[in-house]
């Protein structure tokens, strides 16, 4: 039996029908968690992830919901609490890009990205925290009464021309994570973030799918490989488990060194 630090804990992973969210959902399940698989449009993607989790002997079900809509979030949480009784781990992963040069960016593009990447985290975190506080005790044999992991990005600290909405949303995620953690750590709630570098998923397909694009991307990654969803899933398991019990309000960059100013390796 593999190491299962999350045995029996109940997790919700937003946007987990593809990419990083799917990888996180699977790794949490391998670590023993039962997982609600939220999706916005791809039921088939969500069902695939659910079936893989069921095959591991854990519980899982898919739930549709747009994280930027309060009624959707309330419905997701109400259903989870009524089916499974509580929530122990929330992974705020849902996110998207709508890129445009700043002079051309529409208010709709700005609002959409902020609404899903940042406001969606507010809505989901608030429901999770209310439940942690209502329950008031940690799952048997564990320490924190609840854990939240926010999927940030290297772009919470690396500015990104042509992506003002996205980079601003991730900068917001950094301060959201730190502030919430400062406020809620006294109640034994742990809130941290992961800052992925370039992970091969649908969100950034053009950046890695051709040899030319890949060569250019690898110049930004000292470790010289593109990340995979499993790299993030393993970090999420650690942040959700007691192994990181003394870690509060941090962003763990999982980026092959992308935040190390690689362009300075031969310059400056
Ligand atoms: P992805 O496009 O495969 O995953 C994003 C997921 O969010 C999709 O399943 C999508 O359906 C879902 N989603 C979008 N809008 C939603 C909404 N309103 N409600 C619920 N779900 C919604 O791309 P990826 O890469 O897996 O992205 C996951 C997270 O990781 C995002 O927050 C992204 O910003 C972040 N990230 C990704 C990096 C990468 O290189 N792939 C790097 C850094 C951060
Ligand atoms: C973006 C990806 C990008 C990566 C590294 C992520 O936040 O969503 O498109 O490849 O950062 O720049």
């Amino acid at each position: 039996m593999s190491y299962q630090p999350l045995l029996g804990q109940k997790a919700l992973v937003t946007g987990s029908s593809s990419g990083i969210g799917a990888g996180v959902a699977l790794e949490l399940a391998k670590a023993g968690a039962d997982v609600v698989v939220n999706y916005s449009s791809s039921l088939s993607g969500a069902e695939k992830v659910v079936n893989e989790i069921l095959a591991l002997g854990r519980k899982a079900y898919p739930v549709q919901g747009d994280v930027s809509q309060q009624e959707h979030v309330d419905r997701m949480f109400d259903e989870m609490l009524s089916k499974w009784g509580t929530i122990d781990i929330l992974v705020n992963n849902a996110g998207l890009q709508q890129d445009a040069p700043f002079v051309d960016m529409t208010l709709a593009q700005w609002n959409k990205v902020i609404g899903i990447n940042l406001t969606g985290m507010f809505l989901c975190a608030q429901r999770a925290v209310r439940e942690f506080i209502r329950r008031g005790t940690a799952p048997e044999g564990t320490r924190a009464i609840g854990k939240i992991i926010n999927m940030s990005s290297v772009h919470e600290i690396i500015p990104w021309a042509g992506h003002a909405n996205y980079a601003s949303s991730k900068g917001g995620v950094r301060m959201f994570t730190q502030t919430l953690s400062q406020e809620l750590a006294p109640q034994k709630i742990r809130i941290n973030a992961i800052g992925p570098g370039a992970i091969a998923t649908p969100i950034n397909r053009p950046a890695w799918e051709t040899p030319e694009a890949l060569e250019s991307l690898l110049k930004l990654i000292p470790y010289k490989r593109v990340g995979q969803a499993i790299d993030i899933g393993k970090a999420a398991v650690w942040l959700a488990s007691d192994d990181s019990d003394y870690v509060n309000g941090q962003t763990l960059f999982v980026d092959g060194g992308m935040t190390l100013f690689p362009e300075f390796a031969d310059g400056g």
Side-chain angles (χ1 to χ4, degrees):
M1 173 66 73
S2 59
Y3 179 50
Q4 294 203 302
L6 307 178
L7 193 59
Q9 294 190 44
K10 312 294 177 213
L12 167 64
V13 184
T14 65
S16 52
S17 60
S18 66
I20 289 174
V24 167
L26 277 175
E27 290 308 305
L28 294 182
K30 284 185 208 161
D34 299 324
V35 187
V36 176
V37 176
N38 159 248
Y39 68 98
S40 62
S41 57
S42 175
L43 174 59
S44 60
E47 283 176 338
K48 185 166 173 285
V49 176
V50 164
N51 287 334
E52 287 181 61
I53 294 172
L54 295 175
L56 293 167
R58 304 312 319 172
K59 289 195 275 182
Y61 67 87
V63 63
Q64 197 280 331
D66 175 346
V67 295
S68 68
Q69 305 297 319
Q70 187 161 26
E71 331 65 270
H72 291 214
V73 171
D74 282 339
R75 177 174 43 73
M76 279 198 299
F77 275 85
D78 290 346
E79 185 177 339
M80 181 173 183
L81 300 189
S82 99
K83 277 192 159 124
W84 288 358
T86 196
I87 178 171
D88 303 301
I89 301 161
L90 166 67
V91 182
N92 267 326
N93 166 78
L96 82 176
Q97 291 179 218
Q98 292 217 339
D99 309 329
F102 181 65
V103 289
D104 299 328
M105 188 173 284
T106 63
L107 179 61
Q109 287 172 319
W110 174 270
N111 281 339
K112 177 121 190 165
V113 170
I114 299 292
I116 293 170
N117 295 13
L118 189 55
T119 309
M121 289 197 183
F122 160 75
L123 292 170
C124 293
Q126 193 174 56
R127 282 299 308 257
V129 166
R130 285 178 180 160
E131 170 57 16
F132 299 155
I133 291 171
R134 181 205 66 77
R135 178 161 38 82
T137 53
E140 203 187 327
T142 72
R143 304 185 79 168
I145 69 166
K147 282 92 48 159
I148 296 179
I149 299 166
N150 296 325
M151 205 54 70
S152 185
S153 166
V154 290
H155 298 296
E156 73 165 46
I157 56 168
I158 301 178
W160 205 16
H163 307 76
N165 49 2
Y166 184 84
S168 301
S169 75
K170 298 300 185 180
V173 170
R174 178 183 181 85
M175 193 47 68
F176 179 66
T177 302
Q178 292 178 339
T179 299
L180 240 58
S181 186
Q182 186 194 60
E183 187 167 331
L184 296 164
Q187 299 180 69
K188 293 285 171 285
I189 296 171
R190 286 199 308 114
I191 298 159
N192 290 289
I194 298 175
I199 310 301
T201 74
I203 208 172
N204 58 357
R205 185 175 294 282
W208 50 263
E209 73 177 345
T210 67
E212 299 74 36
L214 185 61
E215 191 188 339
S216 154
L217 181 60
L218 289 178
K219 289 188 185 133
L220 300 176
I221 309 173
Y223 204 54
K224 299 297 169 207
R225 78 167 169 86
V226 174
Q228 302 299 322
I230 192 170
D231 294 313
I232 308 302
K234 287 185 181 296
V237 168
W238 183 71
L239 283 175
S241 78
D242 279 3
D243 291 336
S244 62
D245 188 56
Y246 208 48
V247 179
N248 295 272
Q250 300 301 309
T251 296
L252 174 59
F253 290 104
V254 182
D255 67 353
M258 195 176 237
T259 40
L260 300 176
F261 298 95
E263 61 277 31
F264 275 73
D266 305 307

